Amino acid sequence: MLVTFRTIFQKASARLREQGGFTLIEMTIASALGLLVTTATFSALETGQRTQLRDQEWALVVQEGRTGLARMTSEMRTAYSIRNDSSYSIDFYAAIGGKDYEINYNCEEKQTGTEFKQCVRKSAEVGSALPSKGQVIVKDVLNGTSADQPNGKEDPIFVEYTPSSVAPDLVTIKAVLPSSGTLKLAGAKTHQHQIVLENGAYIRNTAIGT
């Protein structure tokens, strides 16, 4: 019987030695390495997500700005009479859908709650007064007078009237917008540069003040 128990004990001991296992130090090192790899993986994923959100902001600004400028220039091309124009506003008569409208774009209106300005559209049938409130066409406008600019240089939105502002047949528009967009996504760092969108409207058969 003694031999039998000794034999069983020896076999069990040998089996345990063969199976081995990890020591506490080995387990600690393995856990630390695993934590390091996991942290690096999540950090890379977070950086990629922030970059994606930043680019999404930038794309939104470009899309909204281009849409606004496209509407402005499209209506200005239908103008048959320029009533008034300046570096930041234009007022004209246009025929739309068989009716004559007075259309006014003013890009000097303050945008509530921000340091930006906005381009607002007002319209009414010719002979009627323009409404007191209009529709925002382009938001977050950085263009402004010399007093508004950090460098002290004027940055008009209606850049050029060709051949002159008295009787223009070509109006060039340049809108400067921040790249941060309007989504306001948490944790998304924005591009540092500004977005400059430019478009032009060719106007035929117009006359000032008619």
Side-chain angles (χ1 to χ4, degrees):
M1 182 67 69
L2 181 60
V3 175
T4 303
F5 279 122
R6 181 179 296 174
T7 302
I8 294 173
F9 177 76
Q10 289 176 346
K11 289 182 178 180
S13 298
R15 198 170 295 164
L16 288 173
R17 284 195 298 272
E18 290 174 358
Q19 292 178 357
F22 296 104
T23 65
L24 179 60
I25 295 177
E26 290 173 333
M27 289 293 293
T28 302
I29 294 174
S31 299
L33 290 175
L35 180 61
L36 181 63
V37 172
T38 302
T39 302
T41 301
F42 278 108
S43 178
L45 289 174
E46 184 180 9
T47 300
Q49 185 180 25
R50 288 183 177 180
T51 301
Q52 181 181 7
L53 295 178
R54 180 198 65 185
D55 292 343
Q56 189 177 355
E57 288 270 17
W58 183 85
L60 178 65
V61 172
V62 173
Q63 179 182 352
E64 288 184 339
R66 283 179 175 170
T67 300
L69 259 64
R71 178 171 183 180
M72 292 172 66
T73 55
S74 177
E75 289 189 332
M76 289 165 61
R77 291 186 185 111
T78 66
Y80 62 80
S81 175
I82 306 297
R83 303 185 67 246
N84 194 10
D85 56 51
S86 71
S87 297
Y88 305 99
S89 66
I90 186 169
D91 192 283
F92 56 91
Y93 287 156
I96 301 176
K99 294 183 179 181
D100 293 338
Y101 288 91
E102 178 184 355
I103 300 175
N104 177 276
Y105 281 104
N106 181 9
C107 296
E108 278 196 301
E109 289 204 15
K110 292 288 186 180
Q111 187 169 305
T112 305
T114 72
E115 59 184 2
F116 307 124
K117 296 182 180 180
Q118 56 190 7
C119 292
V120 176
R121 178 188 184 273
K122 296 178 181 179
S123 68
E125 287 193 44
V126 173
S128 301
L130 292 173
S132 57
K133 294 184 178 180
Q135 179 186 6
V136 178
I137 301 300
V138 182
K139 299 184 296 183
D140 299 340
V141 175
L142 292 173
N143 303 71
T145 63
S146 57
D148 298 327
Q149 302 302 312
N151 58 9
K153 294 182 179 180
E154 184 177 18
D155 193 8
I157 193 163
F158 295 99
V159 181
E160 186 176 10
Y161 294 95
T162 305
S164 69
S165 61
V166 177
D169 55 26
L170 177 64
V171 181
T172 304
I173 308 172
K174 184 191 75 171
V176 182
L177 311 173
S179 62
S180 57
T182 56
L183 293 178
K184 308 304 179 189
L185 300 172
K189 294 183 178 180
T190 62
H191 292 278
Q192 298 302 310
H193 60 271
Q194 297 174 344
I195 297 173
V196 179
L197 301 176
E198 191 168 340
N199 206 339
Y202 179 59
I203 308 172
R204 296 174 293 181
N205 302 320
T206 60
I208 285 289
T210 61

